[in-house]
Amino acid sequence: MSDLDLRLVRYFTVVAEELHFGRAAAVLHLAQPSLSRHVRRLEGELGVRLFDRATQGTQLTEAGRAFLPRAQALLRSAEEAAALVRAVGQPSRVVVGFMTGLIITPAVRALRAGHPEADVHSRFLGWGELPSALLEHRVDVVVGRLPFATEGLSVSVLYEESRVLLMPVGHRLAGKEYVTLDDIADEPVPRFPDEEFNAVWRVDPRPGGRPAPDGPFVREFEDKLEVIAAGEAVALVPAGAVKKGLRLDLTTVPIEGAPSVPVVLATRAGEENRRLLAAFRACAEDHLTPANWAATDAG
């Protein structure tokens, strides 16, 4: 058998995902007859039928079902290999990822000032995008908050971030100098898809073993803000994630007794000493500190 053509493998995966040659052709911007010919060519190279084509629709054969996860892995591996080669071949380019409320501008400015030849970019990462953004080479370095899966990564702590209680402006605890976990023992807290995420951000269980009361299930940061503003829950959030003026119907109060949040710098394992990544780490350590966050807020 000749070497597999990755283009044909990609065509197969799109048809397998759509289970419809017409829809797959539209996704791939191909004519349907052309796509059918490409798939038949792949089947000929493999010596098996990958699809059952019938009037009722297109279905994967047993061989097609066996091939699909391996084809998807092959395409991911090829993409990662190409991204890695580009990173090595273009050492003056770096993409810095960051999460909600973590302003990386001072460190990025310092990196550009110290390395004017570098092509430096930044990219916001939403919930759940770590560590895939790093492992898939969409970014080269991330400033983020734990917890997230760290397998395959090199992670170092930049500083610890305190937490505040986020609540509606009319909440019974609004305006206090500070609150404790006992003050919110019966207050519902939003739930998240990831259990480790839940344990950390809900402080669940609470000291003494009592579970945190369940609030609404949320997936995005904006969803959390909405349920809190509606009076359905309160949340223990990093101080940097909620700035003054975020929403006029929300307010914060410092909370004592809640564990601080590690703000970390992460790269792919084995790449932490690449010239620009090491330089960005030094800039982050110099410029991304709690004191500098306070100065940024005040400004």
PDB file of all heavy atoms in Angstrom, residues 90-94 109-121 275-277 279:
ATOM      1  N   GLN A  90      10.867  29.326  13.379  1.00  0.00           N
ATOM      2  CA  GLN A  90      10.599  30.746  13.544  1.00  0.00           C
ATOM      3  C   GLN A  90      10.763  31.124  15.010  1.00  0.00           C
ATOM      4  O   GLN A  90       9.804  31.443  15.713  1.00  0.00           O
ATOM      5  CB  GLN A  90       9.177  31.075  13.073  1.00  0.00           C
ATOM      6  CG  GLN A  90       8.913  30.730  11.624  1.00  0.00           C
ATOM      7  CD  GLN A  90       7.451  30.924  11.245  1.00  0.00           C
ATOM      8  OE1 GLN A  90       6.600  31.162  12.090  1.00  0.00           O
ATOM      9  NE2 GLN A  90       7.158  30.819   9.971  1.00  0.00           N
ATOM     10  N   PRO A  91      11.997  31.053  15.534  1.00  0.00           N
ATOM     11  CA  PRO A  91      12.215  31.253  16.972  1.00  0.00           C
ATOM     12  C   PRO A  91      11.906  32.650  17.467  1.00  0.00           C
ATOM     13  O   PRO A  91      11.881  32.891  18.655  1.00  0.00           O
ATOM     14  CB  PRO A  91      13.711  30.936  17.135  1.00  0.00           C
ATOM     15  CG  PRO A  91      14.298  31.212  15.784  1.00  0.00           C
ATOM     16  CD  PRO A  91      13.245  30.820  14.794  1.00  0.00           C
ATOM     17  N   SER A  92      11.662  33.587  16.555  1.00  0.00           N
ATOM     18  CA  SER A  92      11.367  34.956  16.985  1.00  0.00           C
ATOM     19  C   SER A  92       9.874  35.212  17.116  1.00  0.00           C
ATOM     20  O   SER A  92       9.448  36.350  17.263  1.00  0.00           O
ATOM     21  CB  SER A  92      11.986  35.964  16.005  1.00  0.00           C
ATOM     22  OG  SER A  92      13.394  35.920  16.078  1.00  0.00           O
ATOM     23  N   ARG A  93       9.053  34.170  17.050  1.00  0.00           N
ATOM     24  CA  ARG A  93       7.607  34.326  17.198  1.00  0.00           C
ATOM     25  C   ARG A  93       7.153  33.630  18.474  1.00  0.00           C
ATOM     26  O   ARG A  93       7.558  32.505  18.758  1.00  0.00           O
ATOM     27  CB  ARG A  93       6.875  33.724  16.002  1.00  0.00           C
ATOM     28  CG  ARG A  93       5.348  33.753  16.138  1.00  0.00           C
ATOM     29  CD  ARG A  93       4.678  33.117  14.924  1.00  0.00           C
ATOM     30  NE  ARG A  93       3.257  32.907  15.140  1.00  0.00           N
ATOM     31  CZ  ARG A  93       2.315  33.822  14.933  1.00  0.00           C
ATOM     32  NH1 ARG A  93       2.660  35.020  14.488  1.00  0.00           N
ATOM     33  NH2 ARG A  93       1.044  33.565  15.152  1.00  0.00           N
ATOM     34  N   VAL A  94       6.304  34.297  19.266  1.00  0.00           N
ATOM     35  CA  VAL A  94       5.764  33.696  20.483  1.00  0.00           C
ATOM     36  C   VAL A  94       4.333  34.182  20.680  1.00  0.00           C
ATOM     37  O   VAL A  94       4.021  35.352  20.442  1.00  0.00           O
ATOM     38  CB  VAL A  94       6.642  34.036  21.712  1.00  0.00           C
ATOM     39  CG1 VAL A  94       6.680  35.534  21.974  1.00  0.00           C
ATOM     40  CG2 VAL A  94       6.159  33.293  22.945  1.00  0.00           C
ATOM     41  N   ARG A 109       4.815  44.064  27.008  1.00  0.00           N
ATOM     42  CA  ARG A 109       5.541  45.284  26.638  1.00  0.00           C
ATOM     43  C   ARG A 109       7.030  45.139  26.933  1.00  0.00           C
ATOM     44  O   ARG A 109       7.886  45.535  26.132  1.00  0.00           O
ATOM     45  CB  ARG A 109       4.972  46.482  27.397  1.00  0.00           C
ATOM     46  CG  ARG A 109       3.650  47.005  26.856  1.00  0.00           C
ATOM     47  CD  ARG A 109       3.151  48.145  27.723  1.00  0.00           C
ATOM     48  NE  ARG A 109       1.930  48.736  27.204  1.00  0.00           N
ATOM     49  CZ  ARG A 109       1.135  49.531  27.892  1.00  0.00           C
ATOM     50  NH1 ARG A 109       1.457  49.852  29.152  1.00  0.00           N
ATOM     51  NH2 ARG A 109       0.041  50.034  27.350  1.00  0.00           N
ATOM     52  N   ALA A 110       7.340  44.585  28.093  1.00  0.00           N
ATOM     53  CA  ALA A 110       8.745  44.421  28.474  1.00  0.00           C
ATOM     54  C   ALA A 110       9.457  43.467  27.526  1.00  0.00           C
ATOM     55  O   ALA A 110      10.618  43.681  27.162  1.00  0.00           O
ATOM     56  CB  ALA A 110       8.836  43.922  29.916  1.00  0.00           C
ATOM     57  N   LEU A 111       8.761  42.388  27.120  1.00  0.00           N
ATOM     58  CA  LEU A 111       9.377  41.435  26.184  1.00  0.00           C
ATOM     59  C   LEU A 111       9.648  42.114  24.848  1.00  0.00           C
ATOM     60  O   LEU A 111      10.730  41.943  24.258  1.00  0.00           O
ATOM     61  CB  LEU A 111       8.458  40.235  25.996  1.00  0.00           C
ATOM     62  CG  LEU A 111       8.989  39.139  25.053  1.00  0.00           C
ATOM     63  CD1 LEU A 111      10.245  38.500  25.634  1.00  0.00           C
ATOM     64  CD2 LEU A 111       7.922  38.078  24.787  1.00  0.00           C
ATOM     65  N   ARG A 112       8.690  42.891  24.367  1.00  0.00           N
ATOM     66  CA  ARG A 112       8.894  43.579  23.085  1.00  0.00           C
ATOM     67  C   ARG A 112      10.014  44.607  23.171  1.00  0.00           C
ATOM     68  O   ARG A 112      10.789  44.780  22.224  1.00  0.00           O
ATOM     69  CB  ARG A 112       7.591  44.255  22.661  1.00  0.00           C
ATOM     70  CG  ARG A 112       6.534  43.274  22.159  1.00  0.00           C
ATOM     71  CD  ARG A 112       5.219  43.951  21.880  1.00  0.00           C
ATOM     72  NE  ARG A 112       4.257  43.025  21.293  1.00  0.00           N
ATOM     73  CZ  ARG A 112       2.943  43.149  21.381  1.00  0.00           C
ATOM     74  NH1 ARG A 112       2.421  44.208  22.041  1.00  0.00           N
ATOM     75  NH2 ARG A 112       2.140  42.286  20.822  1.00  0.00           N
ATOM     76  N   ALA A 113      10.102  45.290  24.322  1.00  0.00           N
ATOM     77  CA  ALA A 113      11.167  46.287  24.488  1.00  0.00           C
ATOM     78  C   ALA A 113      12.534  45.631  24.513  1.00  0.00           C
ATOM     79  O   ALA A 113      13.503  46.152  23.953  1.00  0.00           O
ATOM     80  CB  ALA A 113      10.931  47.088  25.769  1.00  0.00           C
ATOM     81  N   GLY A 114      12.629  44.478  25.179  1.00  0.00           N
ATOM     82  CA  GLY A 114      13.912  43.782  25.271  1.00  0.00           C
ATOM     83  C   GLY A 114      14.273  42.983  24.044  1.00  0.00           C
ATOM     84  O   GLY A 114      15.446  42.678  23.819  1.00  0.00           O
ATOM     85  N   HIS A 115      13.246  42.640  23.243  1.00  0.00           N
ATOM     86  CA  HIS A 115      13.483  41.832  22.035  1.00  0.00           C
ATOM     87  C   HIS A 115      12.689  42.448  20.877  1.00  0.00           C
ATOM     88  O   HIS A 115      11.689  41.878  20.439  1.00  0.00           O
ATOM     89  CB  HIS A 115      13.063  40.384  22.276  1.00  0.00           C
ATOM     90  CG  HIS A 115      13.861  39.704  23.348  1.00  0.00           C
ATOM     91  ND1 HIS A 115      15.006  38.970  23.076  1.00  0.00           N
ATOM     92  CD2 HIS A 115      13.695  39.678  24.697  1.00  0.00           C
ATOM     93  CE1 HIS A 115      15.494  38.507  24.217  1.00  0.00           C
ATOM     94  NE2 HIS A 115      14.727  38.929  25.205  1.00  0.00           N
ATOM     95  N   PRO A 116      13.138  43.605  20.385  1.00  0.00           N
ATOM     96  CA  PRO A 116      12.372  44.292  19.334  1.00  0.00           C
ATOM     97  C   PRO A 116      12.253  43.484  18.047  1.00  0.00           C
ATOM     98  O   PRO A 116      11.368  43.748  17.236  1.00  0.00           O
ATOM     99  CB  PRO A 116      13.162  45.594  19.112  1.00  0.00           C
ATOM    100  CG  PRO A 116      14.522  45.319  19.662  1.00  0.00           C
ATOM    101  CD  PRO A 116      14.341  44.369  20.790  1.00  0.00           C
ATOM    102  N   GLU A 117      13.123  42.495  17.881  1.00  0.00           N
ATOM    103  CA  GLU A 117      13.053  41.660  16.675  1.00  0.00           C
ATOM    104  C   GLU A 117      11.968  40.596  16.772  1.00  0.00           C
ATOM    105  O   GLU A 117      11.611  39.961  15.766  1.00  0.00           O
ATOM    106  CB  GLU A 117      14.407  40.966  16.445  1.00  0.00           C
ATOM    107  CG  GLU A 117      14.666  39.711  17.278  1.00  0.00           C
ATOM    108  CD  GLU A 117      14.866  39.953  18.780  1.00  0.00           C
ATOM    109  OE1 GLU A 117      14.952  41.128  19.189  1.00  0.00           O
ATOM    110  OE2 GLU A 117      14.951  38.960  19.531  1.00  0.00           O
ATOM    111  N   ALA A 118      11.416  40.383  17.971  1.00  0.00           N
ATOM    112  CA  ALA A 118      10.460  39.296  18.197  1.00  0.00           C
ATOM    113  C   ALA A 118       9.066  39.654  17.687  1.00  0.00           C
ATOM    114  O   ALA A 118       8.636  40.801  17.760  1.00  0.00           O
ATOM    115  CB  ALA A 118      10.399  38.953  19.677  1.00  0.00           C
ATOM    116  N   ASP A 119       8.379  38.648  17.195  1.00  0.00           N
ATOM    117  CA  ASP A 119       6.987  38.775  16.764  1.00  0.00           C
ATOM    118  C   ASP A 119       6.126  38.228  17.901  1.00  0.00           C
ATOM    119  O   ASP A 119       5.937  37.018  18.037  1.00  0.00           O
ATOM    120  CB  ASP A 119       6.793  37.959  15.485  1.00  0.00           C
ATOM    121  CG  ASP A 119       5.401  38.108  14.890  1.00  0.00           C
ATOM    122  OD1 ASP A 119       4.681  39.036  15.310  1.00  0.00           O
ATOM    123  OD2 ASP A 119       5.038  37.284  14.026  1.00  0.00           O
ATOM    124  N   VAL A 120       5.623  39.127  18.758  1.00  0.00           N
ATOM    125  CA  VAL A 120       4.938  38.742  19.991  1.00  0.00           C
ATOM    126  C   VAL A 120       3.434  38.970  19.840  1.00  0.00           C
ATOM    127  O   VAL A 120       2.998  40.067  19.482  1.00  0.00           O
ATOM    128  CB  VAL A 120       5.465  39.542  21.205  1.00  0.00           C
ATOM    129  CG1 VAL A 120       4.786  39.060  22.489  1.00  0.00           C
ATOM    130  CG2 VAL A 120       6.981  39.413  21.307  1.00  0.00           C
ATOM    131  N   HIS A 121       2.652  37.931  20.133  1.00  0.00           N
ATOM    132  CA  HIS A 121       1.207  38.023  20.047  1.00  0.00           C
ATOM    133  C   HIS A 121       0.592  37.570  21.369  1.00  0.00           C
ATOM    134  O   HIS A 121       1.210  36.818  22.130  1.00  0.00           O
ATOM    135  CB  HIS A 121       0.663  37.139  18.919  1.00  0.00           C
ATOM    136  CG  HIS A 121       1.151  37.530  17.562  1.00  0.00           C
ATOM    137  ND1 HIS A 121       0.443  38.359  16.727  1.00  0.00           N
ATOM    138  CD2 HIS A 121       2.299  37.215  16.909  1.00  0.00           C
ATOM    139  CE1 HIS A 121       1.127  38.541  15.610  1.00  0.00           C
ATOM    140  NE2 HIS A 121       2.252  37.854  15.692  1.00  0.00           N
ATOM    141  N   ARG A 275      14.576  30.505  24.062  1.00  0.00           N
ATOM    142  CA  ARG A 275      15.058  31.863  24.330  1.00  0.00           C
ATOM    143  C   ARG A 275      13.927  32.838  24.667  1.00  0.00           C
ATOM    144  O   ARG A 275      13.951  33.505  25.704  1.00  0.00           O
ATOM    145  CB  ARG A 275      15.842  32.371  23.113  1.00  0.00           C
ATOM    146  CG  ARG A 275      16.433  33.772  23.269  1.00  0.00           C
ATOM    147  CD  ARG A 275      17.241  34.135  22.043  1.00  0.00           C
ATOM    148  NE  ARG A 275      16.398  34.207  20.862  1.00  0.00           N
ATOM    149  CZ  ARG A 275      15.819  35.338  20.420  1.00  0.00           C
ATOM    150  NH1 ARG A 275      15.995  36.467  21.083  1.00  0.00           N
ATOM    151  NH2 ARG A 275      15.090  35.342  19.340  1.00  0.00           N
ATOM    152  N   LEU A 276      12.920  32.944  23.815  1.00  0.00           N
ATOM    153  CA  LEU A 276      11.859  33.916  24.052  1.00  0.00           C
ATOM    154  C   LEU A 276      10.962  33.522  25.214  1.00  0.00           C
ATOM    155  O   LEU A 276      10.450  34.390  25.932  1.00  0.00           O
ATOM    156  CB  LEU A 276      11.023  34.114  22.789  1.00  0.00           C
ATOM    157  CG  LEU A 276      11.631  35.019  21.718  1.00  0.00           C
ATOM    158  CD1 LEU A 276      10.706  35.101  20.512  1.00  0.00           C
ATOM    159  CD2 LEU A 276      11.913  36.414  22.271  1.00  0.00           C
ATOM    160  N   LEU A 277      10.764  32.228  25.425  1.00  0.00           N
ATOM    161  CA  LEU A 277       9.924  31.800  26.546  1.00  0.00           C
ATOM    162  C   LEU A 277      10.620  32.082  27.871  1.00  0.00           C
ATOM    163  O   LEU A 277       9.978  32.510  28.836  1.00  0.00           O
ATOM    164  CB  LEU A 277       9.582  30.318  26.418  1.00  0.00           C
ATOM    165  CG  LEU A 277       8.783  29.932  25.164  1.00  0.00           C
ATOM    166  CD1 LEU A 277       8.379  28.471  25.229  1.00  0.00           C
ATOM    167  CD2 LEU A 277       7.556  30.815  25.018  1.00  0.00           C
ATOM    168  N   ALA A 279      12.759  34.440  28.284  1.00  0.00           N
ATOM    169  CA  ALA A 279      12.736  35.900  28.418  1.00  0.00           C
ATOM    170  C   ALA A 279      11.366  36.364  28.906  1.00  0.00           C
ATOM    171  O   ALA A 279      11.267  37.266  29.751  1.00  0.00           O
ATOM    172  CB  ALA A 279      13.068  36.553  27.081  1.00  0.00           C
TER     173      ALA A 279
END
